[in-house]
Amino acid sequence: MSTHDILHRLSETLASRRHADPEKSYTAKLFSEGPDSILKKIGEECAELIMAGKDGKRLNIVRESTDVVYHILVLLAFYGLSIEDVSQEMRRREGISGIDEKASRSAGK
């Protein structure tokens, strides 16, 4: 099973939890609490990832990265988006310098 398959399946599972019981599903609980709660969790998980990166412990970096990705997928699902939306944007950016891509977004404002 490819990484894309796993992320796509997880994205679908998260979307299916949109109306699940918050008492029985952590994802449903996050959805019920709204975007501020989801964003707070992303911030917490990013801070934990930063600390893992500073410690340099590979397993902790992988675990914290997984938590960040999961919570980002929850945010996407909250807004009716999925990993496919992110994949499309990544395909659009492929082969474009990060500097050029960032400049094109600034120019469009």
Side-chain angles (χ1 to χ4, degrees):
M1 177 155 307
S2 74
T3 301
H4 182 269
D5 292 339
I6 292 167
L7 291 173
H8 184 74
R9 201 169 69 227
L10 177 57
S11 192
E12 288 177 340
T13 299
L14 295 176
S16 76
R17 301 280 162 79
R18 185 82 159 125
H19 302 290
D21 183 352
E23 298 290 321
K24 295 182 180 174
S25 166
Y26 174 70
T27 303
K29 181 177 184 285
L30 287 171
F31 284 145
S32 72
E33 293 173 353
D36 286 348
S37 180
I38 299 167
L39 292 167
K40 181 179 176 188
K41 280 305 295 181
I42 291 172
E44 290 170 8
E45 298 301 342
C46 285
E48 290 173 10
L49 175 57
I50 290 166
M51 297 310 297
K54 290 192 69 68
D55 290 343
K57 295 182 180 171
R58 293 168 56 92
L59 181 58
N60 288 347
I61 293 168
V62 169
R63 288 178 173 165
E64 296 304 337
S65 295
T66 301
D67 290 345
V68 170
V69 170
Y70 165 81
H71 286 91
I72 288 170
L73 289 173
V74 170
L75 181 67
L76 290 169
F78 182 85
Y79 286 108
L81 300 165
S82 73
I83 193 64
E84 191 55 38
D85 295 291
V86 175
S87 294
Q88 287 176 11
E89 178 63 9
M90 291 181 91
R91 280 192 288 280
R92 184 191 71 78
R93 292 184 187 191
E94 187 174 15
I96 300 172
S97 153
I99 293 170
D100 291 342
E101 198 285 325
K102 181 91 172 167
S104 73
R105 284 190 275 158
S106 298
K109 290 183 180 179

